[in-house]
Amino acid sequence: MKAISSMATRHVLADLAAAAEAAGLPAVELESVGGVDAGRRVAAGERVDLVFLADDALRALARDGHVRADTVTPLLLSHVAVAVPAPEDAVAVATGRPAFDDVAALRDALRGARRIGYSTGPSGVALVALIAELGLDDELRDRLVQAPPGIPVARLLRERRVDLGFQQASELVGERGVRLLGALPAAVAIDTVFSGAVATAATAPEDAAAVLAAFGDDTAAALIVSHAFDVPGGH
């Protein structure tokens, strides 16, 4: 069966699919693209069985009848983290702590950066809104660099096109040439829930529903956490 997802979830979904297949469920052919592009393709009627996107985007597709509303299942909780360039042989690892002690320290780091990288999709929109809330939108506007759809912020950091980067932690962990500082301070945390649903155009809806259920069961939790995600609701 075919599935489409945003780039942020591609690694964990691939592992979840492999685990489900090992348990006897149908194999999943997963294509990961920019979240906006994935939503457009599903809305245009592309024939896929499963769709994995940010929860709000997926529910919008459900309202328009492109995915089955009764199957929308929150699966992953992602936190936006902060990173900087590192030597090419360095590999980003999760820190388990905030990148900055408080919002004031974050504000100082933003003001001190020459170029600031951020991603497309909901987390990028939220970061721009946060910068405005901090009163820095005019000061930083010309220093913001949005990664093109499908291009990770880690690449901008590795290529030294930015010196401070913001993206979901799951997209930064394991990347070379990047040092992960940690998550945003709790007071301004940017979290995204990613959900899955069976597409209205699914050719095998019952099989798709079974795979989706496996992605959300208790045995999948450890795999999800290993990819620097949390499970929505803390289950």
Side-chain angles (χ1 to χ4, degrees), residues 1-5 9-10 13-14 28-32 52:
M1 71 178 58
K2 294 183 178 180
I4 192 167
S5 80
T9 58
R10 64 192 184 281
L13 290 177
V28 177
E29 179 186 338
L30 176 68
E31 181 181 2
S32 297
F52 300 96

Side-chain angles (χ1 to χ4, degrees), residues 197-215:
V198 177
T200 306
T203 56
E206 292 184 359
D207 286 345
V211 170
L212 180 60
F215 283 18

Side-chain angles (χ1 to χ4, degrees), residues 42-220:
V42 173
E46 183 166 334
R47 190 168 295 280
V48 296
D49 296 286
L50 287 165
V51 184
F52 300 96
L53 291 172
D55 188 77
D56 57 349
L58 197 59
R59 292 185 189 278
L61 290 173
R63 287 193 297 272
D64 292 337
H66 302 299
V67 301
R68 287 175 42 189
D70 62 326
T71 67
V72 175
T73 305
L75 297 172
L76 312 163
L77 176 61
S78 176
H79 309 284
V80 167
V82 189
V84 294
E88 289 187 7
D89 59 349
V91 178
V93 296
T95 66
R97 61 180 183 273
F100 305 105
D101 291 336
D102 51 32
V103 177
L106 167 63
R107 195 172 190 277
D108 289 343
L110 286 165
R111 297 190 72 186
R114 292 176 293 107
R115 302 285 279 174
I116 301 163
Y118 70 104
S119 64
T120 57
S123 63
V125 172
L127 180 70
V128 173
L130 172 59
I131 288 171
E133 290 173 11
L134 295 175
L136 299 176
D137 46 344
D138 289 337
E139 181 178 348
L140 300 182
R141 184 173 293 112
D142 293 339
R143 292 189 247 166
L144 295 176
V145 180
Q146 187 177 44
I151 300 298
V153 172
R155 178 171 168 181
L156 302 183
L157 290 163
R158 187 165 52 249
E159 295 176 353
R160 303 303 197 267
R161 293 160 62 184
V162 300
D163 57 324
L164 190 66
F166 296 81
Q167 192 162 32
Q168 288 137 358
S170 58
E171 280 286 88
L172 294 165
V173 169
E175 290 288 340
R176 293 192 173 276
V178 174
R179 181 163 68 92
L180 189 58
L181 301 182
L184 289 169
V188 291
I190 298 174
D191 296 336
T192 302
V193 173
F194 289 94
S195 297
V198 177
T200 306
T203 56
E206 292 184 359
D207 286 345
V211 170
L212 180 60
F215 283 18
D217 68 20
D218 290 342
T219 61

